[in-house]
Amino acid sequence: MFKKQKSLRSERKRQLFFQGVSRSAMRNDLRSFHTLSHFVLSAGPLKPAPVLKHSKTVHFEIEILDAQTRKLICIVDKVTQSSTVHDVKQKFHKACPKWYPSRIGLQLECGGPFLKDYITVQSVAASSLVTLYFTDLGRQVSWTTVFLAEYAGPLLIYLLFYFRISNIYDMKESARRLRHPVVHLACFCHCIHYIRYILETLFVHKVSAGHTPLKNLIKSCTLYWGFTSWIAYYINHPRYTPPSFGNRQIVVSAINFLICEAGNHFINVILAHPNHTGNNACFPSPNYNPFTWMFFLVSCPNYTYEIGSWISFTVMTQTLPVGIFTLLMSIQMSLWAKKKHKFYLKKFNSCMHRKSAIIPFVL
């Protein structure tokens, strides 16, 4: 028995001895590994890190030639890749101060389309040397100025005729004849129409930041101001005769006029929404407002309401000048509506099912 116990004790001692030896060996291995890792890390990478090469900025040199004579006007150098056509126009203006950027037209080739201001030089450059052709677009005005002049002029001109200035009508005849109520109502409706236009131009419409030639402003003002003078002269004339069917014709057409004006305004508010412009645009959809339900039938309801307003004004006043102006405006807006309708068909084909351009089920 004693011999067995001694042998067991000796085996345990041996096991404990070997366990201690193994633990110490493991500790030594861990220490050696730890020192080795520190050595490797302090020594740095085995391969040297690649040196980052700084990319050289490519500069373009642009020579600008006269589109008619093809003579060199100036050379614009140090144009970067991110520079736009507008930046080139700014540098061109510095070299030739008599030409402002708004009246500078640049083309890649003679007779070609003018380059938009937002186009980058890199997108049109075939090499580091770019040749552009210059055309003087003439004096330019902003689109906001064009619209405000178009709408403010008729508003003021009509009021001049309404107050019957002595230089326009015979004061004796004006004082002898009383005005029919439709004359006052027509002035109110006409002012409402153009005041709405002015307010929408300032606060609703997203007017383009571009410019248009001054001659376009003159053409538009001549059309609007001329027809307004003709219309106002007949309606406010002392010998003006009221509509044939009396108050019933006046009241019905006036209510329809106000409905069309309200519908036109709400449609313009929807069209000014960000979701209906840009690359991610979607076709305007009607909402809870009943005036917007016209989108179910036509693609350009703003033109529909506009024509409705002028037809109502024609019936209410029963004058030939208003009828002629309504006819011309209807033709022009029909052409605009057809053009927009074709664009909508290409871009929003799934949303244009069974829709007309401007007149439901007809046009």
Side-chain angles (χ1 to χ4, degrees):
M1 291 290 293
F2 290 107
K3 290 181 179 179
K4 290 181 179 179
Q5 290 177 356
K6 287 180 179 179
S7 61
L8 289 171
R9 288 175 182 174
S10 59
E11 287 180 2
R12 287 177 182 176
K13 288 180 179 179
R14 288 177 184 175
Q15 290 176 359
L16 291 172
F17 173 77
F18 284 116
Q19 287 179 0
V21 171
S22 62
R23 286 177 182 175
S24 61
M26 288 177 65
R27 289 175 183 173
N28 293 332
D29 292 339
L30 289 172
R31 288 176 182 175
S32 61
F33 177 76
H34 185 68
T35 54
L36 179 62
S37 62
H38 270 288
F39 175 76
V40 172
L41 291 174
S42 62
L46 297 177
K47 293 182 179 180
V51 179
L52 295 176
K53 296 182 179 179
H54 297 282
S55 58
K56 295 182 179 179
T57 304
V58 179
H59 289 87
F60 296 97
E61 184 176 310
I62 301 176
E63 58 177 9
I64 299 178
L65 309 180
D66 190 292
Q68 295 180 351
T69 62
R70 298 196 178 184
K71 292 182 179 180
L72 180 64
I73 299 176
C74 71
I75 295 177
V76 179
D77 56 355
K78 294 183 180 180
V79 178
T80 60
Q81 294 174 327
S82 59
S83 297
T84 60
V85 174
H86 179 71
D87 299 329
V88 176
K89 289 181 179 181
Q90 293 286 350
K91 292 186 176 183
F92 182 35
H93 170 60
K94 290 182 180 180
C96 303
K98 63 179 180 179
W99 288 307
Y100 291 92
S102 60
R103 65 184 297 174
I104 297 174
L106 297 178
Q107 304 162 290
L108 279 175
E109 55 184 11
C110 293
F114 292 106
L115 299 175
K116 302 294 183 182
D117 286 349
Y118 57 83
I119 295 178
T120 59
V121 177
Q122 186 180 8
S123 62
V124 298
S127 63
S128 60
L129 180 62
V130 183
T131 302
L132 297 179
Y133 296 92
F134 161 74
T135 300
D136 185 10
L137 300 177
R139 293 187 177 181
Q140 304 285 304
V141 291
S142 64
W143 282 108
T144 303
T145 304
V146 173
F147 294 141
L148 291 178
E150 284 181 358
Y151 307 144
L155 179 63
L156 298 176
I157 290 172
Y158 196 97
L159 290 176
L160 291 177
F161 283 89
Y162 174 75
F163 290 115
R164 290 183 176 179
I165 299 176
S166 59
N167 296 330
I168 301 175
Y169 302 111
D170 184 6
M171 295 303 296
K172 292 182 180 181
E173 188 176 13
S174 299
R176 190 169 56 249
R177 292 176 178 268
L178 294 177
R179 300 189 191 189
H180 193 275
V182 71
V183 176
H184 306 292
L185 182 60
C187 181
F188 172 77
C189 292
H190 191 273
C191 292
I192 286 292
H193 180 74
Y194 283 101
I195 288 174
R196 177 183 64 81
Y197 262 148
I198 293 172
L199 294 178
E200 286 179 352
T201 302
L202 295 175
F203 304 108
V204 177
H205 292 301
K206 295 182 178 179
V207 184
S208 173
H211 295 76
T212 185
L214 181 62
K215 61 182 180 180
N216 291 340
L217 172 64
I218 297 174
K219 290 179 182 178
S220 299
C221 289
T222 302
L223 175 66
Y224 279 91
W225 296 11
F227 265 103
T228 300
S229 301
W230 192 22
I231 291 169
Y233 176 80
Y234 276 89
I235 295 176
N236 296 285
H237 199 280
R239 297 183 182 181
Y240 168 75
T241 55
S244 304
F245 296 96
N247 292 334
R248 182 179 298 178
Q249 178 180 346
I250 296 170
V251 172
V252 172
S253 56
I255 292 173
N256 190 62
F257 176 86
L258 295 177
I259 291 173
C260 291
E261 286 294 303
N264 201 341
H265 171 70
F266 289 117
I267 293 298
N268 288 332
V269 170
I270 287 184
L271 293 175
H273 197 275
N275 290 339
H276 307 141
T277 57
N279 296 328
N280 298 325
C282 59
F283 186 78
S285 57
N287 53 26
Y288 60 88
N289 190 338
F291 291 103
T292 64
W293 296 350
M294 188 67 73
F295 274 117
F296 287 121
L297 302 175
V298 295
S299 58
C300 302
N302 52 329
Y303 295 148
T304 306
Y305 282 122
E306 181 74 11
I307 293 176
S309 295
W310 281 109
I311 291 176
S312 301
F313 194 77
T314 303
V315 175
M316 181 177 63
T317 57
Q318 194 174 313
T319 52
L320 180 63
V322 183
I324 295 175
F325 182 74
T326 301
L327 178 62
L328 295 178
M329 292 298 294
S330 300
I331 295 173
Q332 182 62 67
M333 290 184 181
S334 299
L335 297 176
W336 289 341
K338 284 184 177 181
K339 187 177 180 180
K340 285 189 176 182
H341 188 67
K342 288 182 180 179
F343 172 76
Y344 289 149
L345 284 174
K346 293 180 180 179
K347 194 169 186 179
F348 313 108
N349 190 17
S350 59
C351 304
M352 303 301 297
H353 185 61
R354 294 181 180 178
K355 287 185 181 180
S356 303
I358 188 171
I359 302 176
F361 313 111
V362 178
L363 181 62

